Amino acid sequence: MPSPPPPPVTLVIFDMDGLLLNVETIVTEAASSVLAALDLDPPALLTPAALAAARGRRPLDAWQATADALGLPPAIAAADLLASSEALLTARWGTCAPMPGAVRLVTHLKRAGVDIALATSTPRATFSKKTGPGSAWAAAFAEAGFPAVAASSLWSCIVCGDDAVVKAGKPAPDAFLAAAAGCGGGGRLPGCCLVLEDAPAGAQAAVAAGMRCVMIPSLPASEAGAYPPVLGLDGAAGGGGVTESLPSLFAFDPAAYALPPFTDALPAGRMTAIPFWPGPSAFRLRGTVVRGFGRGSASLGIPTANLDAAALLPLADAVTGVYACWAFLTPGPACPTGAGTPWPAVASIGYNPQFQEENARARGVAQPQRSAEPWLLAPPGALPATFYGAGLRLLVVAYLRPEARFEGLDALIAQIHADADAARAVLAHPALTGASEDEFFNDD
Ligand code: RBF
Ligand code: MG
């Protein structure tokens, strides 16, 4: 017998860290320093398995999970590890930036009249530092038309990890059940709630609460094998469960859950694009052009420029995709022509799944490294054949598609040409033409 359709979604419950807010970059950095300072032999290193186990949990639980995953000596107490990391982080919480697409999704649902709630494992006091006045989060919502007071009133309910109602942290269901119960008008049934989560422990909590859950992992797909196997896609049939796993908040379609659809996509060649400039979702990358992976993109007629790895550090690890952007080369000996003016460009940011095996082999490591590879769409002859060492700025203004694996190189190359057409088209759209004059390109 076919199962009955799931009831309509009347409440969307968001996790915060790793889903809406890039906390993971500084937390991973701090946790690595804390482990290094233990001075163990062999040294304790944060593994993908430890990260997967820790993410989504309350801070003390996260450190316990890390200690367990790494097999740290029992004399090392999770509470001490937490105290050391908190000392490194407390002044930095307010610098955490929203994830790409986070402000767009949250403000869209709010404006469309959908009830939204937050269920985070972070303690109240840390939540205030991350989202309160002066934080990058508050600034981003203000830019999107929700100044401080309005930004906190976005949420029908906010549940933090140390609230009394949360007897047990994620992966227990308490936080999500409390968020559903705390929504006005007598609360909501779990079956009417849709949860968005980045972490295995969080998805487990949502499923345990009897809710549907969309996962947008904050660990790169290449490391998702480290996720525990609790996350079968069993929610699609109705009832609780994980319904889908997406590479980006930009790939989430509310209409798939009968929620009000986005109306901001623009036609772009044979594709559509999601523009996000001006506004808090636009992101700015700045670095140096380095040699690529020797996959011969130039010989394929796709002369891309690789940005150095450090330029990607501000972007959370799992942020990937193909984007339209403006690319600006700094005038100087490394780039004698074509510098000093922004060019339309199409950029691939990610782990190049097409070349997964080659990437790993070339580097002699198990995990591929992320690259940011813009193809500057300048007229023939406008740019030198190579410009290694030149300064490069990317103003990333529209989302085109997720990274993918294609059946053979020809299909990939055809898609990259379609991406270029799409980028040209969307960058010429009235909504985005001003982006080439963004202050990011002013001399400094
Ligand atoms: N690599 C992938 O593995 N999957 C992709 O979906 C993908 N899309 C790309 C889109 C653009 C616009 C560009 C410039 C590159 C893309 N790449 C992708 C990276 C590609 O593998 C790399 O540029 C090769 O060196 C081209 O042959
Ligand atoms: Mg999370």
Side-chain angles (χ1 to χ4, degrees), residues 295 297 300 304 346 348 352-355 373 401 404 406 419:
R295 288 186 300 254
S297 61
L300 295 169
T304 58
V346 63
S348 161
N352 301 305
Q354 188 85 19
F355 298 92
E373 223 186 330
R401 65 173 176 92
F406 296 87
D419 295 335

Side-chain angles (χ1 to χ4, degrees), residues 125-425:
T126 314
F127 175 77
S128 299
K129 293 190 183 112
K130 288 172 178 169
T131 63
S135 66
W137 168 274
F141 278 94
E143 199 180 342
F146 290 86
V149 179
S152 53
S153 66
L154 279 170
W155 309 102
S156 299
C157 181
I158 298 174
V159 177
C160 291
D162 58 351
D163 288 358
V165 283
V166 183
K167 302 267 184 307
K170 300 173 189 177
D174 305 26
F176 290 121
L177 292 173
C183 274
R188 301 296 153 77
L189 293 171
C192 300
C193 297
L194 180 67
V195 171
L196 273 73
E197 257 291 350
D198 70 289
Q204 232 178 309
V207 175
M211 299 175 181
R212 279 165 282 172
C213 176
V214 175
M215 271 206 90
I216 298 149
S218 58
L219 278 176
S222 60
E223 290 174 4
Y227 280 18
V230 291
L231 304 170
L233 296 178
D234 53 359
V242 176
T243 55
E244 54 182 339
S245 176
L246 301 173
S248 166
L249 287 170
F250 284 121
F252 175 69
D253 180 10
Y257 299 88
L259 293 166
F262 279 114
T263 53
D264 57 353
L266 296 176
R270 285 182 283 123
M271 303 169 67
T272 57
I274 301 167
F276 47 74
W277 180 94
S281 292
F283 53 97
R284 295 163 169 82
L285 301 176
R286 180 192 284 259
T288 306
V289 178
V290 296
R291 281 177 195 280
F293 297 85
R295 288 186 300 254
S297 61
S299 65
L300 295 169
I302 304 168
T304 58
N306 279 266
L307 205 50
D308 68 293
L312 283 166
L313 288 178
L315 271 192
D317 277 356
V319 172
T320 61
V322 179
Y323 302 87
C325 55
W326 289 97
F328 178 97
L329 291 157
T330 310
C335 190
T337 60
T341 179
W343 296 107
V346 63
S348 161
I349 297 176
Y351 296 87
N352 301 305
Q354 188 85 19
F355 298 92
Q356 215 164 284
E357 296 78 13
E358 290 90 330
N359 290 346
R361 236 180 291 127
R363 302 187 160 263
V365 294
Q367 302 304 335
Q369 198 185 325
R370 185 169 52 169
S371 61
E373 223 186 330
W375 177 14
L376 278 60
L377 305 170
L383 290 168
T386 60
F387 37 88
Y388 299 121
L392 175 61
R393 290 175 223 175
L394 295 184
L395 175 64
V396 183
V397 297
Y399 176 82
L400 298 177
R401 65 173 176 92
E403 284 194 294
R405 261 187 104 123
F406 296 87
E407 294 276 336
L409 262 189
D410 289 346
L412 171 65
I413 293 168
Q415 180 59 57
I416 293 175
H417 283 281
D419 295 335
D421 291 344
R424 277 194 192 90

